[in-house]
Amino acid sequence: MTSKMVIRQPQPVMDAQESDEWGSEICDCFQDVPECCFAFWCCPCFACMTTKRYGQCLCLPLLDTFGFIPPINMSMRVSMRQRYGIKDTMCKDCLYATFCAPCSWCQMSREMSKRKIPIILISSKNT
C-alpha cells in the first residue's frame, strides 16, 4: 500500500468585498471636512500623500501638471477600481480626474480608509 503526501502552500486571500460601488460619491467631500479643506487648498500635497498611502511613489501626482487629462489621477482611479472591485467607467474616471481633481483625490482617500485592505508584497524563492 502506498501513501501519497500532498503539501499545499497557503495562497493569498482577499477579504470579501463590501460592495462593488464607491464607498462615497464624488461630491461627498464633507464626510471628512479637514481632508476636504486640505485637498481644496493644497491639492498637489494631498494628492502626493494619498498616492504614498496607496503604495506608489510620493511625487507621482506632480506629473499631472503636464497634460490636459491628468494621467496620474486617472490611473490611480482605474487602479483603485480594479483593486477594490468597483464597477464604474473610464469615461467617469476621465471626467472626474480632469474637472474635479480635489474631489477625486478625496474620494480615493476615503475609499482607502473605508476598505482598509493592506498591501502585501509576496516574494518567493525556488529551493
Side-chain angles (χ1 to χ4, degrees):
M1 183 158 132
T2 63
S3 62
K4 187 166 47 169
M5 182 167 36
V6 177
I7 299 174
R8 297 186 80 194
Q9 294 292 327
Q11 300 296 315
V13 177
M14 185 173 182
D15 293 336
Q17 296 181 9
E18 298 171 15
S19 172
D20 63 353
E21 301 292 326
W22 287 98
S24 60
E25 295 296 320
I26 192 74
C27 292
D28 287 346
C29 291
F30 294 105
Q31 287 182 355
D32 188 345
V33 175
E35 186 175 86
C36 177
C37 288
F38 183 33
F40 180 76
W41 293 108
C42 192
C43 189
C45 296
F46 184 78
C48 288
M49 289 177 57
T50 302
T51 303
K52 179 71 172 167
R53 265 184 52 211
Y54 193 67
Q56 297 298 319
C57 176
L58 175 71
C59 297
L60 201 56
L62 299 178
L63 296 174
D64 277 351
T65 58
F66 297 114
F68 176 69
I69 297 173
I72 305 307
N73 189 329
M74 186 168 168
S75 300
M76 286 281 294
R77 289 187 65 81
V78 171
S79 173
M80 193 168 289
R81 283 194 306 104
Q82 184 178 17
R83 178 179 289 175
Y84 296 145
I86 297 170
K87 293 181 181 174
D88 213 338
T89 64
M90 293 212 26
C91 182
K92 281 186 182 179
D93 291 334
C94 182
L95 287 172
Y96 293 154
T98 305
F99 298 110
C100 306
C103 294
S104 176
W105 284 107
C106 281
Q107 183 184 35
M108 290 187 287
S109 179
R110 287 191 307 273
E111 197 66 32
M112 285 189 299
S113 297
K114 181 178 183 259
R115 302 279 177 147
K116 294 183 183 169
I117 297 175
I119 299 170
I120 299 171
L121 300 175
I122 301 172
S123 64
S124 63
K125 290 183 182 178
N126 289 336
T127 54

